[in-house]
């Protein structure tokens, strides 16, 4: 995998530019600076999952269907291993569904370059051998934003929480139409979580989906809708107030606290 190999070489701006040129030559898309303006002009209005199923390692996603709309933010909750991350990976094409379809504005994901419209930030997000700003901006591929001044990470070695900050800021800079986040705050300190949660909540022109283990009712109320998964199935979905009142949510929260 190309990005994994970057850690084995000296991460300089020229090396990264050469790498991006090579990717483009393989037909992976336009340069990122050009892509940013393209995404702003071609925002995805709807994301629809239709009867998604995926069987792997004895676990199965079963007929998952839901319609996500631009301008709304969604929390995806459930036990560890219930399929939250897999759903995000299928949307991003990191994993391929066994059956079912993913549609962007009515067009099958098989017929478009999903990477042009969707970002996925999570455990596997790559950190380069560069400083904080180089990592966030991908060595200048994305514009440096003023919000970077809220953070001051020196050196080249980052804690788990600092890596999450970098990956979230990179996603903001990438500015994709559909932003997917897999446990983005799990290792982050409260001060940085507060800042980045505020920025995330302000991104009202996107489809934002966050897979989270945080079941705090006040946190979930920041979302427009909450989807509760159980054993690979979508058990229920609704507004935060609707889901929080259910027996299924109360049971999940009780089991999480044990």
């Amino acid at each position: 995998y190309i990005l994994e190999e970057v850690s084995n070489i000296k991460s300089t701006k020229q090396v990264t530019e050469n790498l991006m040129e090579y990717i483009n030559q393989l037909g992976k898309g336009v340069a990122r600076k050009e892509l940013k303006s393209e995404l702003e002009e071609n925002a995805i209005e709807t994301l629809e999952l239709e009867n998604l199923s995926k069987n792997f390692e004895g676990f199965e996603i079963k007929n998952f269907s839901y319609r996500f709309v631009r301008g709304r933010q969604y929390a995806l909750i459930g036990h560890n291993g219930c399929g939250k991350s897999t759903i995000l990976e299928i949307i991003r094409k990191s994993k391929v569904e066994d059956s079912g379809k993913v549609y962007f504005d009515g067009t099958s994901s098989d017929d478009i370059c999903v990477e042009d419209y969707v970002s996925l930030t999570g455990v596997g997000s790559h950190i380069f051998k560069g400083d904080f700003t180089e990592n966030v901006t991908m060595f200048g591929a994305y514009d440096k934003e003023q919000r970077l001044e809220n953070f001051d990470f020196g050196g080249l070695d980052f804690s788990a929480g600092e890596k999450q900050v970098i990956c979230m800021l990179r996603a903001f800079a990438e500015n994709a139409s559909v932003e997917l986040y897999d446990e983005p705050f799990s290792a982050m300190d409260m001060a940085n979580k507060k800042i980045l949660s505020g920025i995330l909540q302000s991104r009202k022109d996107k489809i934002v989906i966050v897979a989270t283990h945080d079941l705090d009712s006040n946190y979930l109320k920041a979302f427009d809708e909450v989807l509760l998964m159980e054993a690979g199935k979508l058990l229920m979905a609704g507004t935060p107030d609707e889901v929080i009142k259910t027996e299924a949510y109360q049971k999940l929260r009780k089991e999480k606290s044990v």
Side-chain angles (χ1 to χ4, degrees):
Y1 184 62
I2 294 175
L3 289 181
E4 292 176 344
E5 293 302 315
V6 174
S7 290
N8 298 324
I9 61 178
K10 184 179 180 180
S11 293
T12 65
K13 183 175 181 179
Q14 186 60 52
V15 169
T16 305
E17 289 174 349
N18 291 341
L19 176 60
M20 295 304 294
E21 181 180 357
Y22 176 66
I23 292 173
N24 289 338
Q25 290 172 351
L26 291 176
K28 296 297 185 180
V30 299
R32 288 296 181 181
K33 282 185 177 179
E34 297 173 4
L35 177 59
K36 182 177 179 181
S37 61
E38 230 179 78
L39 290 173
E40 290 170 348
E41 294 174 2
N42 298 287
I44 298 297
E45 297 291 338
T46 62
L47 164 63
E48 189 165 359
L49 313 184
E50 183 179 280
N51 296 321
L52 289 184
S53 294
K54 176 72 175 178
N55 196 314
F56 62 99
E57 299 178 358
F59 177 78
E60 185 179 8
I61 298 288
K62 304 172 185 177
N63 299 318
F64 190 104
S65 297
Y66 206 74
R67 187 173 186 269
F68 303 91
V69 180
R70 182 186 181 198
R72 297 182 70 79
Q73 301 197 354
Y74 304 82
L76 195 56
I77 64 174
H79 286 294
N80 289 339
C82 72
K84 301 186 299 294
S85 298
T86 301
I87 290 296
L88 300 186
E89 290 170 332
I90 290 175
I91 294 172
R92 184 58 167 72
K93 283 290 187 183
S94 302
K95 286 183 178 169
V96 179
E97 65 277 7
D98 294 334
S99 62
K101 286 288 185 180
V102 178
Y103 294 100
F104 294 88
D105 287 345
T107 300
S108 170
S109 60
D110 296 330
D111 298 327
I112 64 172
C113 180
V114 172
E115 293 179 358
D116 288 359
Y117 301 96
V118 182
S119 65
L120 172 57
T121 301
V123 177
S125 298
H126 193 79
I127 298 296
F128 295 93
K129 285 187 176 178
D131 63 24
F132 171 70
T133 300
E134 289 170 335
N135 265 282
V136 171
T137 66
M138 294 283 282
F139 298 88
Y142 302 135
D143 293 333
K144 182 177 179 180
E145 299 188 17
Q146 187 174 0
R147 60 172 57 110
L148 296 185
E149 298 175 2
N150 291 322
F151 306 93
D152 183 18
F153 301 156
L156 302 177
D157 294 320
F158 306 105
S159 68
E162 289 171 343
K163 289 177 181 178
Q164 288 188 324
V165 171
I166 287 170
C167 291
M168 287 199 72
L169 289 173
R170 185 189 296 165
F172 298 158
E174 184 177 353
N175 203 30
S177 285
V178 180
E179 294 183 346
L180 311 177
Y181 297 91
D182 192 359
E183 293 295 337
F185 304 114
S186 59
M188 204 178 294
D189 64 73
M190 290 304 298
N192 286 332
K193 179 179 179 180
K194 183 177 180 180
I195 294 172
L196 289 170
S197 291
I199 296 173
L200 184 60
Q201 289 168 21
S202 72
R203 298 177 75 74
K204 297 298 186 182
D205 60 338
K206 312 288 181 188
I207 296 174
V208 174
I209 308 173
V210 180
T212 179
H213 289 136
D214 190 342
L215 300 178
D216 180 77
S217 59
N218 290 324
Y219 173 67
L220 293 180
K221 286 180 180 180
F223 294 89
D224 298 294
E225 297 180 40
V226 177
L227 288 70
L228 196 162
M229 292 186 66
E230 184 176 281
K233 294 182 179 180
L234 178 58
L235 189 62
M236 66 176 61
T239 66
D241 286 336
E242 289 171 343
V243 173
I244 287 168
K245 292 176 182 177
T246 65
E247 183 178 338
Y249 167 80
Q250 296 297 335
K251 178 183 177 184
L252 175 63
R253 185 163 184 176
K254 182 178 180 180
E255 291 171 348
K256 283 282 190 179
S257 65
V258 173

